[in-house]
Amino acid sequence: MLELARQFQRLFALCIRAPGGKVNLALFGLLVILTLGGVYASVLLVTWTGAFYTAIVKVDGSEAARQIAIFAGIIAANSLRHLLAEYLRKVLEIRWRRILTDAAIDLWTTNKTYWHLAQAKTDRIDNPDQRIAEDCRLFVSEALGMSLDLLSRLVGLVSFMAILWSLSDFPLSLGFVGIDLEIPRYMVWAAFLYVIISSGVTHLLGRPLKQLFHEQQRREADFRYALARWRTNFDEVALSNGEGSERRLFRRRFDALAANWKMLVRRDLVLGSFTYPFTHSVLRIPLFVALPGYLAGHVAFGGLMQLSTAFSQAVMTLSWFIFSYRDLANLVATTSRLDTFMRTAAQSACGTQDTLLTGQSEVLQLASLRLSKPDGGDLLDIPAMTIMAGETVWLRGPSGIGKTTLMKAVAGLWPHGSGEVRRPRDGWMFLPQRPYQPLGSLMEAAAYPSSVDRLGSQRILAALRDVGLADRLECAGAEEVVQSLSSGELQRLAIARLIANAPRWAILDEATGALDAAAEAELLGLVRTRLPHATLILIAHRPPQNVGEIRTVDLVPARPLAA
């Protein structure tokens, strides 16, 4: 319970300390006032109940009509209060959700946290997209609603208990069961005893729900991820006739979520077997509890109805835990997932990552570099290598030796191995064999990781013309164009991206491998022409052509270390 409180505190602190936090606090304060207005309306209705039924018993038509008018006024004012409170709650909800989402995205992307945690053997974050998109939404919506509801219940409890205390000024005699004892103000104690026993039963029956909700969220996310991943690889699946395999995968993941769902439904059934009868009897049982006082002549009929209403309100207020147990279990699971995500990402973002990139230099320097696989297997060994600014270097080596791993080491992403990597800090661009396809238009994809506004549309358009993709700008559907590009066209797009961003240092890892030799030579020549002073490091199986003077470096496998 204490850890849960800390998790809530950390997440709410993010909402309060962010820019605009004072405005959000003011909105929350106004929401509290409006919510407490609902408590006041309920108290007025309790008082109205006694006056109305007293007029009915006295057959006082004019007073009954006046009470009906009062009732209409209370309902109208309370409805207006409710609508305004709902509107402000939704405004505050999206504001707090934006803050949490921005914080989650910042933590996930700072210092390449997303990459490092994906490689980690421990503290791995499952389905980070769900944590950012779904858990932020659920936390804000559920926590805001429940906090306001709980606050109104606590204030209402004081009000209704005060009314119940003043109305139940008669005792209950236990003589009818042979016990010579009278319980003063028995209805007050009956309310507490009734709810305490009911809350204990609710917790006993619903305790497994938290873990079931946690697991259900994870399996739902796994299923959505499989569907989304297939959507971005239609061509590959269609050409491989892989529909049957995909169906089996989808069904396995759906069967997994359905199995957990069945356990969740069974637990809901067990919990509901108690909470449903409780919910639908809580408005009637107070009348039965107050009936002995009426039959003993301690209270008139109008007072009986008022007493019954006050008891009902008090019990319903005390029963917040029972009514909200299922939603509370879901909120606790969401809070735990989101807080774990935030803390793990923050620790990784603020920590020093263990990589082979050891410092800065005016040139690229590799010294005593030995790259290994994550399991410790040897890859390649580079005793010493220096690449000067403006050079064109071809790194040659057999498949599987670790050429792509070398690019990751230079980028500061590879922690496995030993040695030193020193390079200029800025001005780098890395082009993998399969370039990334960002969402957006072809112009935005060519500007990536920069933006069209920053680079200028004319500069990007010129780069697209250079690589032969300008005609694709005329196609309808901005995002669909990028997703429909062939492998060769994607590599042309990557070259356009390189030209448009004009880095001082670039590593191309089989970045033109999907093109024929003539097209490859044309594009590499174009790169060298457009970026005459850039350092080009080319990882390729065949000799690069049309790039001017080039230095070839043969990469060799690492030899086993002497015992």
Side-chain angles (χ1 to χ4, degrees), residues 419-438:
E420 296 184 355
V421 176
R422 297 180 180 275
R423 64 170 175 82
R425 178 179 178 179
D426 301 315
W428 284 84
M429 195 164 187
F430 301 87
L431 268 64
Q433 183 174 4
R434 183 178 175 82
Y436 176 62
Q437 307 172 44

Side-chain angles (χ1 to χ4, degrees), residues 106-127:
D106 287 344
L107 289 172
W108 192 233
T109 55
T110 299
N111 291 337
K112 296 183 173 33
T113 294
Y114 60 93
W115 190 89
H116 290 288
L117 288 183
Q119 314 303 314
K121 295 181 181 179
T122 59
D123 293 332
R124 298 190 68 176
I125 300 295
D126 65 277
N127 302 302

Side-chain angles (χ1 to χ4, degrees), residues 1-69:
M1 185 62 70
L2 184 60
E3 177 58 25
L4 177 62
R6 291 195 188 101
Q7 291 173 343
F8 271 100
Q9 185 272 330
R10 284 191 289 263
L11 294 175
F12 269 120
L14 286 173
C15 298
I16 294 171
R17 295 171 184 168
K22 292 183 179 179
V23 175
N24 293 336
L25 275 179
L27 278 176
F28 183 75
L30 183 56
L31 264 175
V32 169
I33 294 173
L34 290 171
T35 302
L36 296 183
V39 177
Y40 180 65
S42 299
V43 171
L44 289 179
L45 285 175
V46 171
T47 304
W48 172 87
T49 301
F52 177 73
Y53 281 103
T54 298
I56 294 296
V57 170
K58 293 180 177 179
V59 197
D60 188 344
S62 60
E63 179 61 19
R66 192 175 78 86
Q67 291 299 326
I68 291 175

Side-chain angles (χ1 to χ4, degrees), residues 241-294:
N241 293 320
E243 296 82 4
S245 178
E246 296 298 319
R247 280 197 298 268
R248 289 191 294 274
L249 172 64
F250 298 153
R251 284 170 181 159
R252 279 200 308 271
R253 296 208 169 183
F254 186 83
D255 287 345
L257 75 85
N260 192 79
W261 178 259
K262 290 177 181 177
M263 291 189 289
L264 189 58
V265 169
R266 285 196 292 268
R267 182 49 54 179
D268 271 340
L269 181 63
V270 171
L271 180 62
S273 65
F274 175 76
T275 57
Y276 188 84
F278 178 89
T279 303
H280 289 79
S281 63
V282 71
L283 295 179
R284 297 291 177 265
I285 288 180
L287 185 61
F288 306 150
V289 176
L291 194 57
Y294 174 71

Side-chain angles (χ1 to χ4, degrees), residues 50 88 183 205 233 241-242 290-291 325 364 371 420 439 468 481 494 534 548:
L88 292 179
I183 302 175
L205 298 178
N233 293 276
N241 293 320
L291 194 57
Y325 192 90
L364 175 60
L371 298 181
E420 296 184 355
L439 296 177
V481 171

Side-chain angles (χ1 to χ4, degrees), residues 48-108:
W48 172 87
T49 301
F52 177 73
Y53 281 103
T54 298
I56 294 296
V57 170
K58 293 180 177 179
V59 197
D60 188 344
S62 60
E63 179 61 19
R66 192 175 78 86
Q67 291 299 326
I68 291 175
I70 292 174
F71 174 80
I74 294 174
I75 295 301
N78 195 39
S79 297
L80 181 62
R81 175 210 60 81
H82 172 76
L83 292 174
L84 181 58
E86 280 296 295
Y87 175 78
L88 292 179
R89 185 185 65 80
K90 291 173 182 177
V91 169
L92 183 58
E93 183 178 321
I94 195 63
R95 290 172 68 94
W96 274 354
R97 182 185 175 187
R98 180 187 296 277
I99 290 171
L100 276 183
T101 302
D102 285 345
I105 291 173
D106 287 344
L107 289 172
W108 192 233

Side-chain angles (χ1 to χ4, degrees), residues 492 495 512-513 515-529 538 542-548:
R492 288 179 178 273
I495 296 299
T512 54
L515 303 171
D516 58 50
E520 179 183 65
E522 178 186 357
L523 286 180
L524 290 179
L526 179 66
V527 170
R528 179 41 81 200
T529 300
L538 308 173
R542 59 192 179 201
Q545 303 295 322
N546 205 24
V547 291

